[in-house]
Amino acid sequence: MGASLPPKEANLFKLIVKSYETKQYKKGLKAADAILKKFPDHGETLSMKGLTLNCMDRKSEAYELVRLGLKNDLKSHVCWHVYGLLYRSDREYREAIKCYRNALKIDPDNIEILRDLSLLQAVGLPLYTPCIPGAQMRDLTGFVETRQQLLTLKPNHRMNWIGFAVAHHLNSNGAKAIEILEAYEGTLEDDYPPENERCEHGEMLLYKISLLEECGFIERAYEELRKKEFKIVDKLTLKEQLVSLFVKLNRLEEGEKLYRALLSMNPDNYRYYEGLQKCVGLFSEDGLYSPDEIDQLDALYKSIGQEYHWSSAVKRIPLDFLQGEKFREAADNYIRPLLTKGVPSLFSDLSPLYDHPCKADILEQLILELEHSVRTTGGYPGRMWKKKSPRQHLCGLCFYWLRDFMLVQHYDRRGLYDTALTKIDEAMEHTPTVIDLYSVKGRILKHAGDLEAAAALADEARCMDLADRYINSECVKRMLQADQVALAEKTAVLFTKDGDQHNNLHDMQCMWYELASGESYFRQGDLGRALKKFLAVEKHYADITEDQFDFHSYCLRKMTLRAYVEMLKFQDRLHSHVYFRKAASGAIRCYIKLYDSPSKSAAEEEDEMSRLPPSQKKKMRQKQRKAEARAKKEAEGKNEETSASGVSKSGKRHVKPVDPDPHGEKLLQVEDPLLEATKYLKLLQKNSPDSLETHLQSFEVNMRKQKILLAFQAVKQLLRLDAENPDSHRCLIRFFHKVSSMAAPVTDTDKLISSVLEAERPSFSQLHGKSLIETNISFLEKHKDSLIHRAAAAEMLFVLKPDKKAEAIKLIEDSNNNLVSTSEAIVPVRKWRLKDCIAVHKLLGTVLVDCDAASRWKLRCAEYFPCSTYFEGRSSSAISKSSEHHICRNSENGAANYTADENAGSLAANGKLEAFKNLAI
């Protein structure tokens, strides 16, 4: 390295390398320039200068210098190594690996290059395109070879032994990994490491034992654990590993004792209770138990509860399996202490129980009885407080907590929005300074369909505590749901660094904000901005993948091997996360919509402009120029604000470049939108195969691409996941209707496709011996009481028989929104949901194209949902535009484009904001 230079310049070259490693980039540049004055063609110096410039965000100069340096010295491993580092910084992993391999041809024993190569082989290569580093494919065979070479060069380094073992583990060769770890233990003096490395050695032993367990050597793992028990420092993990082995060895009595010992250490750990149930033979994966098993479980938890009476888990877990009167008794005992303490999260804790209708009815009875008793007697049922008791004030608080939070949220959860709003208004009139009341009421109004009033109430709550980030975030979320994007952005940046611009939200990887913002833009028809937001979320996942570089060397050095392997497994399933699924799904929807309604090209716009009169043409051009100048000035102003700090001492620039495409217009200028959609669709199919939405979008994309077999595959997946889903039925009917209307096959490919479909059709139970019309009628008969199923059947009837439009509309209008009541429910609820009714209204207006039917449906739903702004219910915020106009704009939220000022006077019905203008807190 720098060997061809005189001693003085060679020392300067070492200074460049040191400055790069310590991030003193200005100092490194100065040293590089000093060498290049005397030796302007020195390849290694040119390469190092380029690498330094790359760290200062001067990429074009960096690539130019590195390529020039490589051209001047092709036989230098330094130049090839630097070129690989440059490619790695831009996530061009394939090219980086090629450069590393070229460097190793010149210097095959270079430790640094081998280590960098092993990192890339462990991280993996993108499967599809460089712009979507989604699915990773690790070069595990190469990783093993590189790690073996590192071990051969430095066999006295512990990290090389461990790295070689982990490489074999990742390459599905656990037995070999165990052999390597045992060989490493044989190199230790007295089979024990120095005092300062005993914690790391214990971690290695735990990793080895977990590896034995993973490979199926359970008995051997148990023997190893007992033999090396005294060497393991982490005693809690030791016990958890031991009890896991007991269960797998079917030594359940010993497992039960150890689980009880673990519960004495942490009686709120749900995993310990699950393990204890397995040991006593009372565990079910689906949560269903026989009456005898329920009695045994009840006795088990009561005995544990007597020992750990302060534990919350031992009281909460029985609520999941108890039924009837026992559930009521257990729920009563669980709720009362938490109500007395005023725990705000109590309802969220009980919310999963509402998925069981009988339990929801019992909870309703219980909450109403508690509220009535506290209101009338001043105490809980069966417990009267004496006059002047110090508990009277406490029970008064319990009454307000019951009414203000539990009862209101209960009615909201059951869809009784009018009752919930009445109760919350009483609470707000009594104590108008409780911030949570405004948040709860905003949540109720959101569920009831009045998104503008919900946003206003969330803003009121925010203004009452300007230092609370959570309330600020909830306010932003409500504003985005109401399509008030500009106001939401101004509110969100209040908690960013130095009140900085929107860029900070992207830098902080605030994915919930970007997803909500993208959905809002999509509802408003702004595909460019929507696509920009969705792709920003995708980029965050690429950054998360890139961040794992920092952990490879660290985890091997610190011996956190179990966490390291878990991290690698997490990276493998990273793109199955719900946020990525939402972002990819949103991007696909944007591309499908762009394909269906392509944006006008510049030539088409110019053609339209040429048809205008000269005066209008001049005005239009002036407006365009002013808009472009204004946008450019705003972007430059934002950039000046963010770059006010200038350059750091190290020379690294903090200036953020001006976004060349702030509105996402360039993202819309794609030649084939369906090709772009397919890239994300493949990622969803690989990482989210059990999501219904994945296969719905696969069907839509492939039907548009005329890929019949791929669309058929999507239909089969939909029926596998949920054959009774209305969307699955739609896709089934649409697909075979499309196939039946296709021309007779001519080519060999078409004939093959036709024969495959004919052979597969009898495998569908829905179509067995039936025509498509009969299949649709059968589906309707099976789900005649469901609105969304009736709507799907009506839509397919219109698709199959367009002349039966009136009959299809009648199918929808004959649906009944009957009250649903169970034997124990005090207040019956209606079946229809707001979002389903909105979907039916859009179906009537856009698919069946009957404005009169859409109007009738709107009036009918306005009675059922009086707070809905979409249906202009009597209790909703005032809206000047009709819902039919929103269908044309593809909006879902009622008054989507209204500003805060336009809506300020219309929120009196739901927000009662006027009462708080003069409120002193």
Side-chain angles (χ1 to χ4, degrees):
M1 191 166 60
S4 60
L5 294 171
K8 182 180 178 182
E9 282 71 23
N11 289 331
L12 283 174
F13 187 85
K14 291 177 183 177
L15 180 62
I16 299 172
V17 176
K18 185 178 179 182
S19 300
Y20 167 74
E21 291 171 349
T22 56
K23 298 183 180 181
Q24 296 178 345
Y25 303 123
K26 270 192 170 182
K27 192 175 181 181
L29 274 183
K30 188 176 179 182
D33 290 335
I35 296 174
L36 292 174
K37 280 183 182 178
K38 292 185 178 180
F39 304 96
D41 296 329
H42 189 253
E44 294 181 359
T45 305
L46 288 169
S47 296
M48 284 305 300
K49 182 179 180 181
L51 187 60
T52 306
L53 289 173
N54 180 62
C55 297
M56 299 170 69
D57 297 329
R58 293 160 66 176
K59 289 191 175 292
S60 58
E61 297 176 62
Y63 272 98
E64 185 179 344
L65 283 169
V66 171
R67 285 169 181 154
L68 180 60
L70 186 60
K71 181 182 176 182
N72 292 340
D73 195 353
L74 272 173
K75 294 185 178 181
S76 168
H77 70 275
V78 174
C79 295
W80 282 109
H81 190 190
V82 167
Y83 203 16
L85 291 173
L86 206 59
Y87 274 126
R88 198 193 86 170
S89 68
D90 288 337
R91 297 173 183 169
E92 297 281 352
Y93 299 146
R94 293 183 187 275
E95 298 300 322
I97 286 177
K98 289 178 185 177
C99 294
Y100 290 156
R101 291 195 184 281
N102 284 329
L104 288 172
K105 289 177 183 177
I106 300 166
D107 187 1
D109 297 337
N110 190 295
I111 299 292
E112 291 296 327
I113 302 173
L114 285 169
R115 191 176 294 123
D116 287 342
L117 176 60
S118 71
L119 293 183
L120 285 183
Q121 290 167 331
V123 169
L125 304 173
L127 276 177
Y128 300 116
T129 59
C131 63
I132 307 177
Q136 299 293 317
M137 181 181 63
R138 292 190 172 93
D139 179 15
L140 296 177
T141 304
F143 185 41
V144 170
E145 293 174 357
T146 306
R147 275 291 161 188
Q148 185 174 10
Q149 194 172 353
L150 281 168
L151 178 60
T152 305
L153 292 171
K154 293 276 186 174
N156 57 337
H157 279 204
R158 178 187 66 185
M159 194 172 78
N160 292 337
W161 283 94
I162 303 304
F164 190 35
V166 170
H168 276 289
H169 181 195
L170 296 177
N171 200 31
S172 304
N173 192 353
K176 187 68 176 177
I178 294 167
E179 289 179 17
I180 295 166
L181 292 174
E182 289 176 344
Y184 164 69
E185 288 184 82
T187 64
L188 300 175
E189 293 183 9
D190 301 327
D191 194 28
Y192 209 60
E195 184 71 31
N196 61 343
E197 294 181 5
R198 295 196 174 179
C199 184
E200 289 86 348
H201 185 70
E203 283 295 316
M204 188 273 291
L205 292 174
L206 286 171
Y207 170 67
K208 178 185 172 184
I209 292 162
S210 65
L211 197 55
L212 286 165
E213 184 181 4
E214 185 180 318
C215 293
F217 306 136
I218 308 298
E219 192 68 44
R220 187 177 162 192
Y222 174 72
E223 292 173 0
E224 183 74 12
L225 184 61
R226 284 303 193 189
K227 181 181 176 184
K228 304 289 179 64
E229 184 176 351
F230 69 98
K231 297 182 181 180
I232 298 174
V233 179
D234 189 350
K235 298 302 180 184
L236 177 62
T237 305
L238 169 69
K239 290 181 179 179
E240 291 177 343
Q241 186 72 55
L242 181 59
V243 78
S244 173
L245 295 173
F246 278 145
V247 173
K248 290 185 178 179
L249 290 169
N250 205 30
R251 297 165 65 169
L252 300 181
E253 291 185 3
E254 294 173 88
E256 180 185 351
K257 290 179 183 178
L258 191 48
Y259 268 123
R260 289 184 181 274
L262 287 169
L263 281 173
S264 66
M265 299 168 67
N266 183 4
D268 284 314
N269 191 315
Y270 276 59
R271 290 189 295 109
Y272 297 163
Y273 289 103
E274 181 181 315
L276 181 60
Q277 285 182 223
K278 288 179 180 178
C279 290
V280 298
L282 295 173
F283 179 74
S284 173
E285 292 288 346
D286 55 8
L288 300 177
Y289 300 94
S290 66
D292 290 340
E293 289 175 333
I294 290 176
D295 291 340
Q296 293 177 47
L297 280 172
D298 187 28
L300 173 67
Y301 278 93
K302 281 182 178 177
S303 65
I304 299 173
Q306 291 175 356
E307 190 173 355
Y308 309 112
H309 56 85
W310 64 89
S311 169
S312 175
V314 77
K315 299 171 187 174
R316 173 62 183 82
I317 293 174
L319 299 182
D320 292 328
F321 59 79
L322 290 176
Q323 305 288 337
E325 193 59 36
K326 286 188 175 181
F327 170 78
R328 179 190 177 88
E329 181 185 351
D332 192 15
N333 292 332
Y334 182 70
I335 289 173
R336 287 190 187 192
L338 299 179
L339 277 177
T340 305
K341 293 178 181 178
V343 176
S345 60
L346 174 58
F347 186 81
S348 298
D349 188 14
L350 298 175
S351 185
L353 301 174
Y354 281 77
D355 294 332
H356 307 275
C358 294
K359 292 185 178 182
D361 296 338
I362 294 173
L363 285 174
E364 181 173 331
Q365 282 186 334
L366 179 60
I367 294 169
L368 286 172
E369 285 181 12
L370 289 173
E371 189 260 352
H372 176 74
S373 178
V374 173
R375 175 163 45 85
T376 55
T377 67
Y380 293 135
R383 186 184 298 174
M384 297 290 293
W385 303 115
K386 296 179 181 180
K387 289 185 178 181
K388 298 183 181 179
S389 168
R391 300 297 297 269
Q392 278 187 324
H393 176 65
L394 185 60
C395 279
L397 294 177
C398 291
F399 165 65
Y400 292 118
W401 201 259
L402 270 165
R403 182 193 66 184
D404 297 354
F405 289 95
M406 283 295 295
L407 201 54
V408 166
Q409 292 179 88
H410 166 79
Y411 286 132
D412 176 38
R413 183 68 168 77
R414 305 215 73 180
L416 300 170
Y417 304 123
D418 290 343
T419 309
L421 288 171
T422 302
K423 292 287 184 183
I424 199 73
D425 284 341
E426 292 175 6
M428 292 172 71
E429 186 176 352
H430 181 271
T431 48
T433 56
V434 178
I435 300 175
D436 291 333
L437 294 179
Y438 297 87
S439 298
V440 170
K441 183 172 182 181
R443 207 171 299 130
I444 296 168
L445 288 171
K446 182 200 77 168
H447 297 154
D450 198 343
L451 299 175
E452 288 74 31
L457 279 160
D459 195 46
E460 279 294 311
R462 180 189 68 82
C463 293
M464 294 170 75
D465 187 356
L466 296 174
D468 194 314
R469 182 192 286 268
Y470 171 78
I471 296 176
N472 183 273
S473 298
E474 188 175 32
C475 176
V476 171
K477 191 175 181 180
R478 296 285 174 265
M479 290 173 174
L480 291 173
Q481 289 165 348
D483 294 339
Q484 300 168 358
V485 183
L487 188 57
E489 183 176 331
K490 290 178 181 177
T491 307
V493 298
L494 293 174
F495 275 86
T496 58
K497 185 179 179 182
D498 301 326
D500 204 348
Q501 309 302 325
H502 171 72
N503 283 335
N504 268 319
L505 292 170
H506 178 78
D507 294 339
M508 290 189 297
Q509 297 183 347
C510 191
M511 287 186 269
W512 69 263
Y513 171 81
E514 288 168 332
L515 285 171
S517 183
E519 292 291 349
S520 178
Y521 282 128
F522 183 80
R523 287 192 295 268
Q524 297 175 68
D526 192 342
L527 295 183
R529 282 190 170 105
L531 197 54
K532 192 173 181 67
K533 294 295 182 184
F534 291 136
L535 296 187
V537 175
E538 186 275 327
K539 185 180 181 301
H540 294 326
Y541 281 84
D543 293 338
I544 293 170
T545 302
E546 177 78 9
D547 289 342
Q548 67 176 295
F549 276 114
D550 299 332
F551 292 95
H552 287 291
S553 299
Y554 174 83
C555 292
L556 293 177
R557 188 171 67 253
K558 293 295 184 181
M559 300 289 281
T560 55
L561 303 177
R562 291 173 298 120
Y564 176 55
V565 173
E566 282 300 315
M567 185 270 292
L568 293 177
K569 291 179 180 178
F570 165 74
Q571 289 288 344
D572 288 338
R573 62 178 185 272
L574 177 65
H575 292 84
S576 62
H577 192 271
V578 62
Y579 277 179
F580 181 82
R581 187 164 69 243
K582 287 180 179 179
S585 177
I588 293 170
R589 281 187 280 119
C590 288
Y591 284 124
I592 289 175
K593 195 170 182 180
L594 181 62
Y595 175 82
D596 293 339
S597 304
S599 56
K600 295 177 181 177
S601 64
E604 290 174 344
E605 291 180 357
E606 193 68 30
D607 185 50
E608 288 184 4
M609 186 80 74
S610 64
R611 296 176 187 174
L612 295 174
S615 59
Q616 291 187 12
K617 192 188 299 183
K618 186 177 180 181
K619 289 180 181 179
M620 287 289 290
R621 292 194 184 281
Q622 285 179 348
K623 284 183 180 180
Q624 288 177 355
R625 282 195 293 269
K626 286 181 180 179
E628 290 173 1
R630 192 182 306 114
K632 186 177 179 182
K633 187 176 180 180
E634 288 177 0
E636 289 176 352
K638 287 181 179 180
N639 189 52
E640 287 175 5
E641 289 176 8
T642 56
S643 62
S645 59
V647 182
S648 66
K649 292 181 180 179
S650 64
K652 185 177 175 82
R653 297 185 179 183
H654 295 301
V655 179
K656 293 192 182 223
V658 177
D659 189 352
D661 187 25
H663 304 310
E665 294 170 356
K666 292 181 181 178
L667 295 174
L668 301 179
Q669 297 171 5
V670 291
E671 294 182 4
D672 188 356
L674 294 182
L675 179 62
E676 298 297 320
T678 303
K679 295 175 184 177
Y680 294 96
L681 183 59
K682 287 180 178 179
L683 289 175
L684 288 180
Q685 288 173 326
K686 177 178 174 62
N687 297 286
S688 302
D690 294 329
S691 170
L692 204 68
E693 190 174 13
T694 296
H695 303 293
L696 285 172
Q697 292 185 328
S698 174
F699 177 80
E700 295 295 341
V701 169
N702 289 307
M703 286 292 281
R704 285 165 173 78
K705 293 172 70 176
Q706 302 296 319
K707 301 286 187 180
I708 300 299
L709 288 182
L710 291 176
F712 177 65
Q713 186 183 42
V715 172
K716 292 187 71 173
Q717 291 293 335
L718 287 169
L719 296 177
R720 175 185 66 84
L721 291 172
D722 189 356
E724 304 304 323
N725 189 282
D727 290 321
S728 301
H729 176 71
R730 284 189 180 97
C731 293
L732 176 69
I733 300 296
R734 281 176 54 197
F735 177 78
F736 282 102
H737 178 63
K738 168 78 173 175
V739 170
S740 63
S741 62
M742 290 170 60
V746 178
T747 65
D748 292 340
T749 303
D750 292 341
K751 290 178 181 178
L752 181 61
I753 292 173
S754 179
S755 64
V756 169
L757 295 178
E758 287 178 9
E760 287 285 339
R761 178 164 177 154
S763 64
F764 291 94
S765 59
Q766 296 87 347
L767 300 174
H768 190 62
K770 299 177 186 175
S771 65
L772 293 180
I773 289 288
E774 291 170 340
T775 301
N776 196 48
I777 292 172
S778 176
F779 181 80
L780 176 63
E781 287 297 321
K782 193 174 182 180
H783 304 283
K784 60 184 178 181
D785 295 329
S786 169
L787 172 63
I788 54 175
H789 290 82
R790 290 179 72 95
E795 182 182 351
M796 291 303 100
L797 176 62
F798 178 68
V799 169
L800 297 172
K801 297 286 184 180
D803 56 328
K804 293 191 175 183
K805 175 180 171 180
E807 185 179 339
I809 293 172
K810 189 173 185 302
L811 270 178
I812 295 174
E813 292 184 333
D814 286 348
S815 303
N816 293 318
N817 190 17
N818 297 326
L819 292 170
V820 179
S821 178
T822 59
S823 58
E824 299 184 15
I826 296 175
V827 183
V829 296
R830 295 192 180 274
K831 295 187 297 183
W832 290 0
R833 295 183 299 175
L834 177 61
K835 67 176 185 178
D836 296 336
C837 292
I838 292 174
V840 170
H841 183 254
K842 292 180 178 181
L843 172 66
L844 291 169
T846 58
V847 179
L848 300 177
V849 197
D850 192 318
C851 293
D852 293 336
S855 298
R856 291 195 300 271
W857 184 260
K858 174 187 168 184
L859 291 173
R860 185 179 177 185
C861 290
E863 293 295 321
Y864 295 140
F865 304 101
C867 293
S868 170
T869 52
Y870 185 91
F871 292 117
E872 299 179 11
R874 63 181 182 276
S875 302
S876 66
S877 302
I879 300 177
S880 60
K881 297 183 180 180
S882 66
S883 296
E884 284 82 357
H885 180 61
H886 289 283
I887 290 178
C888 298
R889 295 188 317 148
N890 292 321
S891 176
E892 300 176 7
N893 283 349
N897 287 340
Y898 275 62
T899 62
D901 293 337
E902 289 172 329
N903 285 331
S906 64
L907 300 173
N910 288 330
K912 294 186 174 62
L913 305 183
E914 295 294 326
F916 302 102
K917 285 189 175 178
N918 300 319
L919 181 66
I921 301 175

